[in-house]
Amino acid sequence: MRVQSFSTSGQKTKLDKKAIYDQQHEDWKVKVFAIPGVEVGSVIEYSYEIHSEYIHYLEPWYFQNVEYTYLSEVKVVLTEGLNFRTFQENLNLYNPVYTEGQEMDVNKREKKVSTFTWKLTDVPALKSEPFMFNREDYLAKIHFQ
């Protein structure tokens, strides 16, 4: 996981990896961190990877949130013989860039893995409004099956 922020004056602050920790919930954990020096107008940048042995379930990816998002990208890497279907909601509003490819498996050099990448830029914030029944229904997202 990599986290950094840029202040309005251009000062870059990288978060030390020791400041990122796991918070245990019932059956799952979340990464928790606080970025020092963040002020109104700061840009927050973070990236992370999810590795899962639960090949039957890929978590949905939300490109949109309550804050403006400059870039949101999800890359799915599958070994040979695995496939999936996608269900995209509200993505056509933002012209996603989709690419497919193959890469060498970092664990088994003789095997290739398939990669599928979706990228959205300049995604506006979506905040709850009066009479909005379910905000999540309007978010740009992708589900995997």
Side-chain angles (χ1 to χ4, degrees):
M1 179 169 209
R2 187 183 65 150
V3 181
Q4 58 188 7
S5 68
F6 302 88
S7 69
T8 54
S9 64
Q11 181 181 353
K12 180 176 167 180
T13 304
K14 285 189 177 183
L15 189 63
D16 186 3
K17 292 188 184 222
K18 294 177 185 174
I20 302 170
Y21 60 95
D22 291 334
Q23 188 176 65
Q24 183 70 42
H25 290 269
E26 292 175 17
D27 294 332
W28 46 279
K29 290 189 249 182
V30 294
K31 295 285 186 189
V32 179
F33 56 88
I35 306 171
V38 173
E39 55 191 37
V40 174
S42 291
V43 174
I44 300 168
E45 180 181 88
Y46 61 94
S47 64
Y48 60 93
E49 293 182 11
I50 299 174
H51 298 269
S52 178
E53 294 178 15
Y54 300 106
I55 59 174
H56 62 280
Y57 178 73
L58 295 174
E59 295 203 19
W61 184 259
Y62 293 86
F63 294 94
Q64 196 168 30
N65 214 316
V66 295
E67 300 294 337
Y68 166 79
T69 302
Y70 176 72
L71 170 68
S72 181
E73 178 178 74
V74 61
K75 179 179 181 180
V76 176
V77 179
L78 296 176
T79 58
E80 287 182 302
L82 295 179
N83 204 346
F84 64 93
R85 297 181 69 121
T86 61
F87 301 95
Q88 302 176 17
E89 295 183 57
N90 305 314
L91 287 188
N92 58 343
L93 302 171
Y94 304 106
N95 300 322
V97 175
Y98 172 72
T99 56
E100 285 185 34
Q102 285 197 327
E103 297 175 0
M104 294 302 289
D105 189 339
V106 294
N107 298 322
K108 301 173 185 167
R109 298 250 184 247
E110 69 278 358
K111 286 193 172 185
K112 289 187 177 181
V113 293
S114 299
T115 61
F116 308 88
T117 307
W118 292 264
K119 184 188 300 187
L120 259 66
T121 56
D122 293 321
V123 184
L126 184 65
K127 299 181 187 209
S128 293
E129 297 180 11
F131 307 109
M132 180 185 280
F133 182 68
N134 187 359
R135 181 182 150 275
E136 198 168 298
D137 289 343
Y138 302 96
L139 294 173
K141 61 188 169 224
I142 186 167
H143 294 271
F144 304 94
Q145 180 183 16

